[in-house]
Amino acid sequence: MPTTPTTPQENSHQVAAKAEFWWAALILGIVTLLIGMMVYMTLHWATMPPSRVETIDPTTLHLAGEFVEDNLGSAVEADGSVTVRVIGNQYSFTPQCLLLPTDTPVKFRATSADVVHGFNIAQTNVNLMLIPGYIVTFKTTFNKPAELVMPCHEFCGIGHAAMWAHVKVVDKAEFFKQAGNGRRLSCVKQQ
Ligand code: CUA
């Protein structure tokens, strides 16, 4: 470093300092945006840290409790929302076809009976992991009727590629007409 910088060198220092300032500002902006997204997701989606998740014994799912077979599928709650309970196991989802209403708050409650599976409804923001021993929850709303696929997107063994289910989003009125008798709904028989 010269002790007595000439004018062009001073200029190049200024240019460098200016560039450094703007790069630092850009990085700070990106970091602020990412932290802002985390805060927004936490508040808006009520994303919970792992310490808050519910646990369940994966070996007795089929015997008693919330995830017995006749409690799986879509259930209408007293407040008009819908809770959908799903199990993933090697190599299928139960139910094999989820029936969901449009324009209604839908809450998924799902778990795995054996290994880690992926739970992803294509073309939507539903993207979860089913981990044995834990109940995962997610709230969303579907805007329009659709026939969607739900592939497992977490490698879970030799049958992974064949593990997927259907999702049928139907008009709210049609859904609640079928829900009239209070049973759990799915579209397994309609396929
Ligand atoms: Cu289940 Cu991959």
Side-chain angles (χ1 to χ4, degrees):
M1 278 269 291
T3 47
T4 51
T6 60
T7 309
Q9 277 170 324
E10 266 177 355
N11 279 344
S12 71
H13 279 299
Q14 279 168 4
V15 170
K18 215 172 176 180
E20 274 175 19
F21 172 81
W22 284 114
W23 278 111
L26 178 67
I27 304 301
L28 197 69
I30 292 171
V31 170
T32 306
L33 178 72
L34 292 176
I35 291 174
M37 281 165 64
M38 281 165 62
V39 170
Y40 176 80
M41 290 298 286
T42 305
L43 299 177
H44 187 72
W45 293 108
T47 308
M48 291 294 171
S51 59
R52 291 287 302 276
V53 295
E54 296 170 68
T55 57
I56 192 167
D57 182 355
T59 60
T60 57
L61 293 180
H62 58 298
L63 297 178
E66 182 179 351
F67 290 92
V68 292
E69 192 164 2
D70 62 5
N71 200 37
L72 298 176
S74 304
V76 177
E77 302 295 345
D79 64 359
S81 68
V82 169
T83 302
V84 188
R85 293 183 179 84
V86 183
I87 288 182
N89 66 332
Q90 289 167 318
Y91 295 99
S92 66
F93 293 100
T94 310
Q96 264 292 292
C97 183
L98 306 184
L99 188 68
L100 308 171
T102 55
D103 305 316
T104 305
V106 171
K107 184 182 186 181
F108 291 95
R109 287 178 63 79
T111 189
S112 166
D114 40 41
V115 300
V116 175
H117 297 281
F119 183 102
N120 173 32
I121 302 181
Q123 301 164 51
T124 71
N125 62 343
V126 181
N127 190 341
L128 308 165
M129 270 171 93
L130 308 186
I131 302 171
Y134 296 90
I135 299 170
V136 66
T137 63
F138 188 79
K139 288 179 189 169
T140 191
T141 303
F142 296 88
N143 302 324
K144 54 181 194 296
E147 302 231 1
L148 305 167
V149 290
M150 193 177 102
C152 175
H153 63 59
E154 195 71 45
F155 183 76
C156 52
I158 193 133
H160 161 70
M163 181 172 173
W164 58 287
H166 295 271
V167 176
K168 201 168 175 179
V169 183
V170 297
D171 188 69
K172 188 177 179 174
E174 189 188 328
F175 178 91
F176 282 95
K177 201 167 69 189
Q178 293 190 42
N181 59 9
R183 71 199 161 89
R184 303 299 180 241
L185 291 178
S186 76
C187 43
V188 172
K189 302 242 158 54
Q190 301 173 6
Q191 283 299 305

